[in-house]
Amino acid sequence: MRNLIVKILLYLSIITGLGYSTPGFSNPLNIPEEKLKKLAYSKEWLRLVHYDKGLFGFSARADGKNFYLAEDGKTNPFSELKASIKHFLNEESSREDHPICQFPARVKWIEKVFPKIDIPEMSCEDYEKFVERVDLNKVYLVFSSYYLNNPSSAYGHTFLRFSRSNEHSYSHELMDSGINFAANPTTTNPLAYAVMGIIGGFKGHLTNIPYYYKVREYNDFESRDLWSYELNLNKDEMEMLVAHVWEIGGTYFDYFYFTENCSYLIFAALEAAKPSLNLLDNLPFWIIPSDTVLTAIETKGLVKNIYYRPSIRKQFYHKLKLLDEVEKKILKKSLINQDPIIKDNISEERKAKILDTALDYIDYKHPEQNNTKKDLTKKSIKVKQKFLFARARNKTISPKITVPMPLEEAPHLGHNSSRFSISSEKFLNEDAIRIEQRFSHHDFLDRSVGYPETAQIEMFNISGRYLLDSKDIELDKFTLLKIKSFSPLSYFEKPTSWQLELSLKKDLSSNCDLCDSVNFQTGFGHTLSFFNEKLMAYTLWNVRANYSPSYFNEEFLLTLFPEVGLLIFLNSKIRASIAYQYLFYFNGQNNYEYTLNTQLRFSLSQNFAIDMKANLLRDFDSKVFSLGINYYY
């Protein structure tokens, strides 16, 4: 009841401008109440304590109670400022748990706006050790590329790197600190993980991790590239950022996968350190790590330099390209036989090139042998040791090899993740206008710059059409999740191509009269690439389960359908697909049907594209054609 009364008083103070006093606040500097209230609702204070203003007042994003010094601090910026000043002037607490040690960024700000305030000097050993450990000279926003094998990283990941060095190099940055915000999951069940991540069921914590751990995790174990964006912060702003990171590292935030996620909190921390930034206002409602990078780049004067750290996979393939055909043949033979002894009559320099490439391949294919906690009797470790001994006997000093920055994969050059589409459509025998909204984030035919060439992930697609003759409006499809991974086979890799879809869609088969059905499908197969991956041919064995009370035979429909298709990538802008499906219905009205789906997309710019589709359904008796435009935002 008391909290309710406090909230009512707060709302009245916001509306009337009268304010009220925090019990026990003694106003030691005789600060005018109006000035204090103005500062409490200033952008700097609201960002420092992570307040959001809503329809009925303020609420703070931090969810740990220890982040607020006032009883109503989570909803009352005015009360929290008064409580902060009161506690900072109180020397009764022990040193390490004193609010001065807990909230150094607040102390810095209050001393700045109230120069005459006499906050006591205090030795905060833990905080001082943290400042000394990060030894901040530069700040980087780091983007770790997409990784479909982990649901939490399917959209990539962003975090901060606190650099000790004024120089940028692969060796120097290993001594840096990674400032990472992530959820602490309480389940390993994929479905429960997805639901809890969407509704904010996990606690998110900000942690300080040695950067070489992040390099090990992303570059080596998951073969993900790291893109570092050097941020333009002055000394005072970097000191404030370090102090604020310390503050929020002592609490937790409810983690929402699409909104209050890793990207959101990092931008909120940067805004607190540099209030002139307006990063969060420029982000879409659904916050994806790649959107964070685009926003940082588009913020004038924020990004100074861009650096690229290739994954171990990229390093291997770059070295592989530097080998001639004879050297590649010897490499394959050595890896097949797991024998590093090269008996061919070639120079020691060429043998060194082959052995260096082989070692990178072993690191890429067997990252577990880099984990000292694993059993050292593992076969991959013994194989690597054999190649290391052979390389040590070869006295050739290898030249430094730098993997060039692949601008075609740069996340800051990619299209925006949300997409709105409108098209003119010939749906069966009727003209229609079709509208589609995709909230995230990429498919095969989208402009490929900044996104994985052979992966597709889409969530929350909704589409419908207006039928011009009958004047009907109908929902066409709602896709909760659609993932495809079509990595091509090669001598050095044998990945499985796969797809997964969960949706509510209008069934266009002969099993009902355009009924709405719940659709779940998955499939596995393989992909081959030709002409330097400009043409990819794939095969999938798919299974689909549908539910609809309007099916002619049964409410549940089970379908097996092999699929063959082509992906044609003329360049990053002109891309097409052709897919043929042979559908065998276990319990449908007919035993089988076949369909042919074709699509061509031409990207006019980073965020505009023209789309053409032609779908032949029900043994080619039914047809759907469309021509439209896509806008990415």
Side-chain angles (χ1 to χ4, degrees):
M1 185 67 181
R2 184 174 183 275
N3 285 340
L4 178 61
I5 295 172
V6 168
K7 288 182 181 180
I8 293 172
L9 289 172
L10 168 63
Y11 302 148
L12 289 174
S13 71
I14 294 172
I15 297 170
T16 64
L18 295 176
Y20 69 96
S21 299
T22 300
F25 180 69
S26 58
N27 202 348
L29 297 178
N30 296 316
I31 304 166
E33 192 85 350
E34 287 299 321
K35 179 180 179 181
L36 197 63
K37 182 170 63 177
K38 184 178 179 181
L39 289 168
Y41 297 116
S42 68
K43 178 169 64 175
E44 291 83 0
W45 180 251
L46 294 177
R47 289 180 173 182
L48 204 55
V49 196
H50 292 263
Y51 286 107
D52 282 326
K53 186 176 181 180
L55 183 62
F56 300 106
F58 289 88
S59 63
R61 291 186 293 270
D63 295 290
K65 294 182 179 179
N66 63 335
F67 195 66
Y68 309 101
L69 297 174
E71 290 187 13
D72 59 341
K74 190 170 173 65
T75 57
N76 191 337
F78 193 23
S79 181
E80 185 66 16
L81 176 57
K82 292 178 179 181
S84 296
I85 294 174
K86 172 188 172 184
H87 283 80
F88 292 159
L89 296 174
N90 179 10
E91 296 190 69
E92 293 180 3
S93 301
S94 65
R95 296 278 166 149
E96 284 304 322
D97 66 357
H98 196 285
I100 290 176
C101 297
Q102 185 181 358
F103 300 108
R106 294 193 199 182
V107 171
K108 286 177 180 291
W109 183 78
I110 289 173
E111 288 180 331
K112 177 183 175 182
V113 297
F114 301 122
K116 296 182 179 180
I117 196 168
D118 189 19
I119 295 178
E121 293 287 335
M122 192 162 293
S123 175
C124 304
E125 186 177 348
D126 291 342
Y127 171 63
E128 290 165 3
K129 286 181 179 178
F130 173 71
V131 173
E132 182 180 0
R133 184 166 65 249
V134 299
D135 191 19
L136 184 59
N137 280 290
K138 288 186 177 183
V139 178
Y140 297 86
L141 174 68
V142 181
F143 176 82
S144 177
S145 59
Y146 309 94
Y147 184 63
L148 291 182
N149 290 341
N150 184 347
S152 67
S153 298
Y155 286 96
H157 181 59
T158 52
F159 59 100
L160 293 177
R161 172 159 66 91
F162 284 0
S163 179
R164 302 165 61 93
S165 174
N166 279 316
E167 299 179 22
H168 179 86
S169 71
Y170 286 171
S171 56
H172 283 146
E173 68 183 32
L174 293 177
M175 302 302 295
D176 295 344
S177 297
I179 307 301
N180 186 63
F181 180 71
N184 288 338
T186 55
T187 178
T188 57
N189 182 285
L191 181 60
Y193 183 95
V195 173
M196 294 289 281
I198 291 172
I199 67 174
F202 298 134
K203 292 181 179 179
H205 291 273
L206 194 76
T207 54
N208 172 30
I209 302 172
Y211 186 61
Y212 62 81
Y213 279 138
K214 306 306 289 183
V215 170
R216 204 56 146 169
E217 176 185 358
Y218 295 139
N219 261 177
D220 300 341
F221 284 89
E222 297 178 354
S223 290
R224 299 165 69 181
D225 298 336
L226 294 173
W227 295 80
S228 292
Y229 298 84
E230 183 185 348
L231 303 181
N232 187 15
L233 303 179
N234 61 37
K235 183 179 179 182
D236 290 340
E237 291 162 349
M238 286 192 285
E239 288 180 356
M240 179 62 85
L241 181 59
V242 171
H244 187 61
V245 164
W246 173 262
E247 289 184 351
I248 58 180
T251 188
Y252 71 88
F253 297 75
D254 291 337
Y255 190 96
F256 294 85
Y257 189 67
F258 291 107
T259 52
E260 293 185 29
N261 53 24
C262 62
S263 300
Y264 187 92
L265 190 71
I266 284 172
F267 267 18
L270 289 172
E271 285 188 341
K274 186 170 182 164
S276 62
L277 296 173
N278 289 296
L279 300 171
L280 294 177
D281 290 342
N282 295 320
L283 286 173
F285 178 76
W286 302 95
I287 302 172
I288 294 171
S290 58
D291 292 327
T292 315
V293 175
L294 288 168
T295 300
I297 288 291
E298 292 167 358
T299 301
K300 187 176 180 180
L302 179 58
V303 175
K304 293 171 65 176
N305 293 297
I306 302 172
Y307 301 97
Y308 168 72
R309 188 182 186 103
S311 66
I312 187 63
R313 180 180 184 273
K314 285 285 176 58
Q315 294 177 54
F316 162 69
Y317 275 105
H318 180 70
K319 290 182 180 178
L320 183 64
K321 288 180 181 179
L322 300 179
L323 301 182
D324 60 32
E325 292 305 316
V326 173
E327 292 164 348
K328 288 179 182 178
K329 185 177 180 180
I330 297 172
L331 172 67
K332 294 176 183 178
K333 181 179 177 182
S334 296
L335 291 173
I336 290 174
N337 297 330
Q338 297 182 353
D339 184 1
I341 306 302
I342 301 173
K343 299 178 181 179
D344 299 69
N345 186 24
I346 61 174
S347 67
E348 290 297 298
E349 288 78 8
R350 296 179 74 188
K351 290 179 181 178
K353 283 173 61 180
I354 296 169
L355 290 171
D356 288 341
T357 308
L359 285 166
D360 276 359
Y361 176 80
I362 294 170
D363 284 343
Y364 160 50
K365 296 301 291 183
H366 302 284
E368 75 280 355
Q369 47 84 26
N370 289 317
N371 189 345
T372 56
K373 295 181 180 180
K374 296 286 185 179
D375 183 1
L376 292 179
T377 62
K378 278 189 173 290
K379 185 178 180 181
S380 62
I381 296 176
K382 294 182 177 181
V383 171
K384 183 178 180 180
Q385 287 176 341
K386 289 166 61 177
F387 278 82
L388 283 172
F389 288 144
R391 182 63 183 89
R393 289 191 292 268
N394 188 311
K395 303 304 181 182
T396 303
I397 298 176
S398 300
K400 183 179 179 181
I401 296 176
T402 301
V403 179
M405 181 185 293
L407 290 178
E408 69 279 1
E409 299 177 20
H412 61 278
L413 298 178
H415 62 75
N416 293 329
S417 60
S418 295
R419 187 184 73 193
F420 175 80
S421 305
I422 184 168
S423 58
S424 173
E425 186 175 68
K426 188 75 171 181
F427 178 66
L428 303 179
N429 295 315
E430 193 167 352
D431 293 327
I433 300 296
R434 189 170 188 272
I435 294 177
E436 179 182 3
Q437 169 63 51
R438 182 184 73 187
F439 287 102
S440 68
H441 82 118
H442 179 74
D443 67 46
F444 287 129
L445 302 189
D446 288 331
R447 181 174 176 269
S448 62
V449 174
Y451 290 89
E453 186 83 44
T454 60
Q456 170 177 332
I457 179 168
E458 298 181 285
M459 292 189 73
F460 303 117
N461 282 24
I462 185 167
S463 62
R465 60 174 60 89
Y466 173 67
L467 300 171
L468 297 177
D469 294 339
S470 61
K471 310 299 183 186
D472 288 336
I473 297 175
E474 59 184 25
L475 178 68
D476 174 47
K477 187 174 183 179
F478 171 71
T479 302
L480 179 64
L481 175 66
K482 186 175 184 179
I483 301 177
K484 292 184 178 182
S485 178
F486 287 178
S487 297
L489 298 169
S490 71
Y491 179 84
F492 295 99
E493 292 185 278
K494 302 292 186 291
T496 298
S497 296
W498 59 278
Q499 64 94 5
L500 174 70
E501 181 179 330
L502 179 60
S503 59
L504 172 67
K505 68 175 186 178
K506 192 166 291 295
D507 194 329
L508 302 181
S509 72
S510 59
N511 294 291
C512 66
D513 186 17
L514 301 179
C515 60
D516 295 323
S517 69
V518 178
N519 170 72
F520 172 79
Q521 65 183 51
T522 187
F524 300 89
H526 291 97
T527 303
L528 295 174
S529 66
F530 307 92
F531 308 114
N532 198 23
E533 296 194 355
K534 291 188 179 298
L535 175 67
M536 291 199 292
Y538 68 87
T539 60
L540 289 175
W541 286 93
N542 301 303
V543 62
R544 181 167 66 206
N546 291 80
Y547 168 78
S548 175
S550 301
Y551 280 136
F552 294 139
N553 287 358
E554 299 179 30
E555 292 185 349
F556 287 94
L557 180 66
L558 186 63
T559 310
L560 175 69
F561 59 106
E563 177 181 349
V564 295
L566 294 175
L567 297 172
I568 305 165
F569 302 151
L570 296 183
N571 52 46
S572 65
K573 296 182 178 181
I574 304 175
R575 305 164 74 80
S577 67
I578 303 172
Y580 174 83
Q581 298 175 342
Y582 183 90
L583 298 99
F584 175 77
Y585 300 111
F586 287 95
N587 55 339
Q589 184 182 21
N590 299 318
N591 289 331
Y592 70 90
E593 287 179 354
Y594 47 86
T595 67
L596 181 68
N597 301 316
T598 65
Q599 190 170 357
L600 172 66
R601 186 169 301 155
F602 176 60
S603 296
L604 301 173
S605 65
Q606 182 176 355
N607 290 311
F608 280 97
I610 295 175
D611 215 20
M612 290 173 278
K613 299 179 185 177
N615 301 331
L616 306 179
L617 313 168
R618 300 184 182 181
D619 300 346
F620 300 171
D621 288 338
S622 301
K623 304 173 181 63
V624 178
F625 303 100
S626 69
L627 173 65
I629 59 171
N630 299 330
Y631 170 61
Y632 304 82
Y633 65 96

